Amino acid sequence: PIITDQLCVKGVLPPHALPPFQCCPPPPSTSSASGPINFTFPDPAEPLRTRRPVHVVGAEYMAKYARAVALMKALPQSDPRSFYQQANIHCAYCTGAHRQLGYPELGIQIHFSWLFFPFHRAYLYFFERIAAKLLGDPAFALPIWSWDVPEGMGIPEVFTDEASPLYDPIREPSHAPPKVADLDFSYRLEKNLTDEQQILHNLRVMYKQMISGAALPSLFMGQPYRAGDAAKPGAGTVELAPHNSMHTWTGDNSRPNAENMGVYYSAGRDPLFYPHHGNIDRLWECWRRIATGNRTHEDFTDPDWLDSSFLLYDEEARLVRITVRDVLRTEKLRYTYGGVGLPWLHARP
Ligand code: C2O
């Protein structure tokens, strides 16, 4: 398995990157230098958080998410729960800054492999709990950007209010609402479809990525990535599109790296990143529930996948080691998804 070492070095950023250029977490304070603690499940009596789409939860709920982001932005940059450090964590895990335990020459890259879904689930789990703690609302659930259903196929308005903590000035201006998203967008290649054509196209993309092209776990989740392996063995269907494509579609296409959302190192700086990944995480749950023909969709059972582990900070700012095995059941993590259907389920082209 790939075990994340605490050792973090300066990762590799693309040319023309925007500051900050270094994304390792702050060194542990001497009082807490005891190393990471192992993950434990939340109390089963905790309220079950239900993550629902931005277009369903309403303005008052979105104001709560905005407040959570504002509170995270107000924490000192040295606090691992600050928005600054949360964005940096994503940067560290995608620029090879963290090392593989036992392979100090190998940086970890959690994209383009079978670690893609579980890493982001663990990362969002702690982000959501940090938000809930700062809000003093133990049932707070992250809103999700459900770009796979027609009502969610565009940047939600609330993220474009310049006065809101949810606003990010570094996005593609021509993709502001009411522009319909292109779920398999390629950098700078506009399809120029009518809204209706684009929506139909998007539903077909979903069908292909979730059903016809994703019968096996390796096709859906990505290729095996084991201790000592080089990074990026291969991405799964949904990681390529809509995941990567919606990152690129959202980021500023006039920049060589399409910041912020369009490139790994800076994507977490946009508050839209987290609802985007909420939807990706929801699609993992959807995929597991879809049975086609006489075949059901099952996760990998390979111990190299199950025992891979990441280091993340919890809502008390403690460093936690969490494994892939820990994140397989959302109910055990005390959250679920609601308020959204699967309009692409029969969108066979
Ligand atoms: Cu870790 Cu959406 O990228």
Side-chain angles (χ1 to χ4, degrees), residues 80-280:
R81 299 165 298 185
S82 64
F83 193 80
Y84 177 84
Q85 291 294 344
Q86 289 292 306
N88 268 358
I89 288 171
H90 185 259
C91 168
Y93 276 93
C94 63
T95 55
H98 276 295
R99 309 272 102 184
Q100 286 190 33
L101 188 69
Y103 301 87
E105 74 287 4
L106 287 179
I108 293 180
Q109 166 57 274
I110 48 72
H111 302 91
F112 279 82
S113 81
W114 68 4
L115 296 185
F116 171 74
F117 279 100
F119 169 80
H120 290 88
R121 173 167 291 177
Y123 174 53
L124 236 54
Y125 168 80
F126 289 114
F127 180 91
E128 180 175 67
R129 294 180 74 87
I130 292 166
K133 161 113 187 174
L134 292 172
L135 288 169
D137 177 355
F140 175 75
L142 193 67
I144 60 173
W145 179 17
S146 56
W147 29 246
D148 60 308
V149 304
E151 306 88 321
M153 279 179 196
I155 295 179
E157 287 274 357
V158 53
F159 287 85
T160 62
D161 170 1
E162 288 181 31
S164 167
L166 303 182
Y167 180 68
D168 182 351
I170 314 183
R171 289 189 192 129
E172 173 53 39
S174 70
H175 294 166
K179 180 78 177 172
V180 177
D182 176 8
L183 294 195
D184 65 349
F185 179 71
S186 308
Y187 183 53
R188 294 182 179 164
L189 285 179
E190 299 292 342
K191 289 197 175 65
N192 299 316
L193 301 176
T194 66
D195 289 359
E196 241 167 84
Q197 290 167 333
Q198 183 69 62
I199 290 170
L200 185 62
H201 174 80
N202 287 344
L203 295 174
R204 287 176 173 163
V205 168
M206 289 306 300
Y207 181 86
K208 181 159 151 250
Q209 304 300 81
M210 291 291 291
I211 301 174
S212 54
L216 298 172
S218 57
L219 295 174
F220 178 69
M221 306 185 80
Q223 296 298 315
Y225 176 36
R226 303 176 205 277
D229 284 355
K232 296 195 172 184
T237 49
V238 165
E239 182 180 352
L240 293 174
H243 170 262
N244 288 353
S245 45
M246 286 302 291
H247 268 289
T248 313
W249 185 83
T250 306
D252 182 349
N253 277 239
S254 72
R255 292 172 187 267
N257 303 309
E259 283 91 350
N260 276 329
M261 274 283 273
V263 57
Y264 296 139
Y265 85 88
S266 60
R269 298 175 190 175
D270 189 331
L272 191 48
F273 175 95
Y274 306 90
H276 173 52
H277 270 277
N279 204 43
I280 294 290

Side-chain angles (χ1 to χ4, degrees), residues 114 217 298-306 325:
W114 68 4
E298 316 253 0
D299 290 335
F300 293 107
T301 52
D302 191 321
D304 273 342
W305 186 64
L306 296 169
R325 190 188 297 280

Side-chain angles (χ1 to χ4, degrees), residues 47-102:
L48 190 66
R49 310 159 197 274
T50 304
R51 297 181 183 168
R52 291 175 299 150
V54 175
H55 69 265
V56 169
V57 294
E60 218 174 288
Y61 196 89
M62 287 310 294
K64 219 190 245 194
Y65 178 54
R67 197 157 69 243
V69 169
L71 289 165
M72 289 168 95
K73 285 182 173 173
L75 289 174
Q77 282 190 358
S78 58
D79 190 319
R81 299 165 298 185
S82 64
F83 193 80
Y84 177 84
Q85 291 294 344
Q86 289 292 306
N88 268 358
I89 288 171
H90 185 259
C91 168
Y93 276 93
C94 63
T95 55
H98 276 295
R99 309 272 102 184
Q100 286 190 33
L101 188 69

